[in-house]
Amino acid sequence: KAGVTQTPRYLIKTRGQQVTLSCSPISGHRSVSWYQQTPGQGLQFLFEYFSETQRNKGNFPGRFSGRQFSNSRSEMNVSTLELGDSALYLCASSLERLTNEKLFFGSGTQLSVL
Amino acid sequence: GDSVTQMEGPVTLSEEAFLTINCTYTATGYPSLFWYVQYPGEGLQLLLKATKADDKGSNKGFEATYRKETTSFHLEKGSVQVSDSAVYFCATREDTGRRALTFGSGTRLQVQP
């Protein structure tokens, strides 16, 4: 069974641009969560999608958004990029809602904002 | 909200040494507690968990006990191997409300042969 797949693996953007990251969950998983990982702040929860609806949201500005498609694949978008958005963005999937703690993480997308 | 504090790394040990990585948490309710491990170039994997006070989670020789009185969930292993070199994250999950995972900042473990 394939694991959680995130694309692209690496991304370089400049300030003010926007970026879209993609996450394909494990087959059969319906929940996708996104996390931002930085050396200073550690792992911070961005949001969770389940059945194409955002179910939970962390404390990030509105520049961070996402969506989920009917096949459970999810995309995350960051608009008007800032230098501080440079981070490893991790996607995690689980069978059901976040109440199920068995999260399976992808390898992440490393975003560098110049 | 919940918060998790882990000991700063890196922790450098020789093979077969005893490992302890400290983790303490703050929470308003009765969270579940987890240790995740991130090997180089990979995503996080669940290592072990405990869902109530005095529970002991264990996996691959690692253990951690849910200590409500000290709000701690320290990770231990009696004899580390080079293959245990990774970053270890302690995490809590709220028992109500948003139920998202709150992670500590991670502790890098380096095991030398």
Side-chain angles (χ1 to χ4, degrees):
Chain A
K1 198 184 231 184
V4 178
T5 304
Q6 290 188 247
T7 57
R9 186 72 180 90
Y10 300 95
L11 208 48
I12 299 174
K13 293 286 187 178
T14 56
R15 276 184 304 174
Q17 287 187 309
Q18 74 165 21
V19 67
T20 299
L21 313 182
S22 179
C23 172
S24 294
I26 290 172
S27 177
H29 284 196
R30 298 197 294 163
S31 170
V32 173
S33 305
W34 288 88
Y35 289 82
Q36 181 195 64
Q37 184 178 12
T38 59
Q41 300 294 320
L43 274 152
Q44 295 186 288
F45 173 72
L46 280 155
F47 29 65
E48 180 210 7
Y49 284 86
F50 182 82
S51 293
E52 302 178 60
T53 303
Q54 187 181 91
R55 303 291 180 155
N56 285 300
K57 191 176 190 305
N59 298 321
F60 279 81
R63 300 184 297 107
F64 291 81
S65 63
R67 59 179 176 168
Q68 187 179 35
F69 302 93
S70 58
N71 62 358
S72 294
R73 190 176 72 85
S74 176
E75 288 182 347
M76 191 192 94
N77 186 75
V78 188
S79 62
T80 319
L81 284 166
E82 300 176 1
L83 295 179
D85 297 333
S86 296
L88 180 66
Y89 289 88
L90 292 168
C91 164
S93 75
S94 62
L95 273 171
E96 297 293 338
R97 291 285 313 279
L98 273 178
T99 50
N100 179 344
E101 70 274 14
K102 285 191 181 298
L103 292 182
F104 295 82
F105 283 82
S107 300
T109 293
Q110 184 68 54
L111 171 64
S112 297
V113 182
L114 307 178
Chain B
D2 292 6
S3 67
V4 178
T5 303
Q6 288 182 236
M7 59 190 291
E8 295 253 351
V11 173
T12 303
L13 296 173
S14 298
E15 211 165 17
E16 300 184 2
F18 184 86
L19 168 71
T20 299
I21 299 178
N22 290 338
C23 170
T24 57
Y25 67 91
T26 60
T28 52
Y30 299 91
S32 296
L33 304 177
F34 306 87
W35 277 100
Y36 277 82
V37 58
Q38 186 177 32
Y39 297 104
E42 299 182 14
L44 279 73
Q45 303 173 27
L46 178 63
L47 180 60
L48 54 83
K49 65 177 182 179
T51 56
K52 60 183 189 297
D54 300 324
D55 263 5
K56 177 185 281 188
S58 61
N59 186 26
K60 300 181 181 180
F62 291 90
E63 292 183 340
T65 301
Y66 190 143
R67 301 285 187 201
K68 192 170 186 309
E69 64 277 11
T70 54
T71 62
S72 65
F73 193 55
H74 304 322
L75 182 68
E76 296 182 336
K77 186 175 185 182
S79 176
V80 294
Q81 305 300 312
V82 173
S83 57
D84 294 327
S85 298
V87 181
Y88 293 81
F89 292 90
C90 184
T92 66
R93 180 174 62 86
E94 305 158 3
D95 59 342
T96 59
R98 203 177 63 192
R99 302 179 75 91
L101 284 169
T102 299
F103 287 90
S105 56
T107 302
R108 182 175 298 279
L109 170 65
Q110 297 172 338
V111 180
Q112 298 174 336

